[in-house]
Amino acid sequence: MPWLQSAAFSIAIPAGVQREEESNRGVANLLCDWMQRGCGQFDSRQFVEALDNLGVARGGGVSSSHLNFSGALLAGNLRPTLGLYADLILRPHFLADEFEDAKQVCFQELRALEDDLHQQAMLSLRRQMYADPWGWHPTGTLASVESLTESGAKSYFDTWIRPNETIISVAGNFDWNQLRDEIAALFGNWKSSPGQKNFLGSKLPEYVHIPFESSQTHVGLGFEGIPVSSPDFYQARAAIGIMSDGMSSRLFSEVREKRGLCYTVYASCNSLKTQGAVLAYAGTSTERAQETLDVMIEQFNDLPKGVRQDELTRLKARFKSGIVMQQESSSSRASSLAADWYHLGRIRKMDELEAIVDGITVETINAYVAANPPKNYRVTTIGAKRLEVPSGISSSDA
């Protein structure tokens, strides 16, 4: 991207929630903070100041699959910034007093989550769609974080912070040959290790109700989808886009605008490496919660009846706007490069994405949804009253 003055990078280490067990839930999230509290020749404050002096807009976090560090900066500062992140990943200090501070940050994140009922509904829904640990949230629980120890966190680091399957992606204005040699010099001595077999648990019941005295009810609705690696992914993505992308989408029009049932409603495709799900949400009042759920299911059940050309035309305009904006953002491109490599094992160019969008037609979407109709719904509700859910769904009160 030589037309830009910036560069951005993403370092995705396969040490996400997928590697955790019941005994150490939340450890990857704690490590993500602890690692940034001093490394190489810098203490915690000096490391922050070094990044600030280079003008790095940075982030760090944990997903189901990865522990991620990323940054965006002036292109000329790329080399020294990657040097700082090599220190962070290869030479963290892991000081005892910093461990307690990192733990307190994790507790603050958990307490903030307690107040976010929307997020709680979606976290429950993920655990209904994906077996543990794939459905777990990176923050863990208050009890699991309380039980984490320095030695346990270091053991997780030694086992899972490794170059095997780590993805370093860079986008923006840089010289490829020079960057390749610099990455090799910075990370070439990182020793690989075998890792361990992943823990695999169970899913939550098909219907989960979490009692909460409120005038509002939070409704999560999910069903099985397909991963990004599936050749049909963009047919599924287009079908859900027609349901939810924009204020002309079916869910927004039918549930919110025409019937006034809720203040927000959406659906999205969620993809892991080999699994996928459709996750939908509506926030509504206690009195309208049942009708909201019923209309959402009705709209999804109507999808196999077919989509229209005017719906697809609007959706394609949104897709292409997203592709154009990605071409103008080094951060967005660096993230998509890492995602492509993880899900597909290769990089897609912009013209390939445009060709995929151009190839989507009403007929291809309708053929996909006819063969793969929404079914086997999972439901989470948080509110004062349980709802009636489709027959055949087993339930549990949380």
Side-chain angles (χ1 to χ4, degrees), residues 9 36 39 42 44-59 69-73 77-78 80-86 88:
F9 66 90
Q36 299 179 69
C39 58
F42 304 107
S44 181
R45 173 47 50 189
Q46 290 169 338
F47 180 71
V48 169
E49 289 177 350
L51 290 173
D52 286 345
N53 289 338
L54 291 168
V56 183
R58 54 197 179 272
F69 297 106
S70 61
L73 58 152
N77 291 337
L78 181 59
T81 301
L82 289 174
L84 289 170
Y85 276 87
L88 183 149

Side-chain angles (χ1 to χ4, degrees), residues 27 30 34 99 103 144-155:
V27 66
L30 186 147
W34 197 21
F99 177 82
K103 207 170 185 178
S144 67
V145 172
E146 181 61 49
S147 70
L148 295 176
T149 63
E150 292 176 51
S151 60
K154 287 180 181 176
S155 175

Side-chain angles (χ1 to χ4, degrees), residues 320-391:
K320 291 192 174 183
S321 294
I323 293 173
V324 169
M325 285 189 278
Q326 190 180 125
Q327 289 178 307
E328 298 173 353
S329 167
S330 54
S331 295
S332 177
R333 189 65 183 136
S335 296
S336 66
L337 291 175
D340 273 0
W341 196 260
Y342 174 65
H343 288 287
L344 306 174
R346 66 184 183 87
I347 300 301
R348 294 176 296 187
K349 295 182 178 179
M350 293 293 101
D351 54 1
E352 181 180 351
L353 293 173
E354 291 177 1
I356 290 173
V357 173
D358 288 338
I360 299 172
T361 67
V362 166
E363 289 74 23
T364 60
I365 298 173
N366 288 341
Y368 173 79
V369 294
N372 304 275
K375 60 182 179 181
N376 299 328
Y377 295 106
R378 307 291 192 270
V379 179
T380 284
T381 54
I382 301 179
K385 296 180 179 178
R386 291 174 60 88
L387 302 184
E388 295 295 324
V389 296
S391 59

Side-chain angles (χ1 to χ4, degrees), residues 71-388:
L73 58 152
L74 292 173
N77 291 337
L78 181 59
R79 171 62 177 82
T81 301
L82 289 174
L84 289 170
Y85 276 87
D87 280 341
L88 183 149
I89 293 168
L90 304 181
R91 293 171 287 277
H93 292 171
F94 287 147
L95 298 178
D97 58 338
E98 299 287 2
F99 177 82
E100 290 304 321
D101 290 342
K103 207 170 185 178
Q104 291 305 313
V105 170
C106 294
F107 284 135
Q108 293 299 322
E109 292 175 347
L110 278 162
R111 292 186 177 109
L113 195 59
E114 287 178 348
D115 297 331
D116 190 340
L117 300 181
H118 167 202
Q119 285 299 317
Q120 285 193 42
M122 299 311 287
L123 295 179
S124 172
L125 186 62
R126 279 183 62 89
R127 294 191 63 193
Q128 293 173 281
M129 300 306 306
Y130 301 125
D132 297 337
W134 292 98
W136 283 345
H137 190 261
T139 52
T141 66
L142 287 171
S144 67
V145 172
E146 181 61 49
S147 70
L148 295 176
T149 63
E150 292 176 51
S151 60
K154 287 180 181 176
S155 175
Y156 190 89
F157 177 90
D158 292 338
T159 304
W160 295 116
I161 305 300
R162 58 198 183 120
N164 314 53
E165 302 176 59
T166 288
I167 301 167
I168 301 176
S169 62
V170 181
N173 188 352
F174 60 86
D175 180 274
W176 163 247
N177 291 326
Q178 182 181 354
L179 174 67
R180 180 195 58 203
D181 294 343
E182 289 172 348
I183 294 288
L186 290 170
F187 294 94
N189 292 327
W190 193 2
K191 293 183 180 179
S192 62
S193 60
Q196 298 174 0
K197 187 176 180 180
N198 287 9
F199 157 76
L200 185 61
S202 58
K203 299 178 184 177
L204 292 181
E206 287 89 343
Y207 178 41
V208 173
H209 175 67
I210 302 174
F212 190 88
E213 285 304 321
S214 169
S215 60
Q216 304 297 308
T217 295
H218 302 265
V219 180
L221 175 70
F223 57 89
E224 187 176 348
I226 55 178
V228 169
S229 57
S230 169
D232 288 330
F233 176 77
Y234 277 91
Q235 305 305 326
R237 174 66 185 85
I240 299 307
I242 286 170
M243 292 294 294
S244 181
D245 286 16
M247 297 175 70
S248 298
S249 65
R250 293 188 181 185
L251 286 177
F252 192 89
S253 297
E254 293 295 329
V255 184
R256 187 182 188 279
E257 293 299 288
K258 292 184 180 177
R259 310 193 194 206
L261 293 173
C262 62
Y263 50 87
T264 184
V265 61
Y266 67 82
S268 62
C269 291
N270 183 269
S271 177
L272 303 180
K273 181 88 170 182
T274 60
Q275 310 169 67
V278 174
L279 308 177
Y281 168 84
T284 183
S285 64
T286 302
E287 294 75 18
R288 296 180 175 180
Q290 184 65 59
E291 187 177 358
T292 298
L293 174 63
D294 293 344
V295 174
M296 289 174 72
I297 292 176
E298 176 186 288
Q299 290 299 309
F300 280 114
N301 286 342
D302 281 349
L303 195 52
K305 295 178 180 176
V307 302
R308 303 187 308 273
Q309 184 59 52
D310 62 304
E311 294 176 311
L312 179 57
T313 300
R314 281 195 297 269
L315 185 69
K316 281 192 172 185
R318 291 179 63 89
F319 279 176
K320 291 192 174 183
S321 294
I323 293 173
V324 169
M325 285 189 278
Q326 190 180 125
Q327 289 178 307
E328 298 173 353
S329 167
S330 54
S331 295
S332 177
R333 189 65 183 136
S335 296
S336 66
L337 291 175
D340 273 0
W341 196 260
Y342 174 65
H343 288 287
L344 306 174
R346 66 184 183 87
I347 300 301
R348 294 176 296 187
K349 295 182 178 179
M350 293 293 101
D351 54 1
E352 181 180 351
L353 293 173
E354 291 177 1
I356 290 173
V357 173
D358 288 338
I360 299 172
T361 67
V362 166
E363 289 74 23
T364 60
I365 298 173
N366 288 341
Y368 173 79
V369 294
N372 304 275
K375 60 182 179 181
N376 299 328
Y377 295 106
R378 307 291 192 270
V379 179
T380 284
T381 54
I382 301 179
K385 296 180 179 178
R386 291 174 60 88
L387 302 184
E388 295 295 324

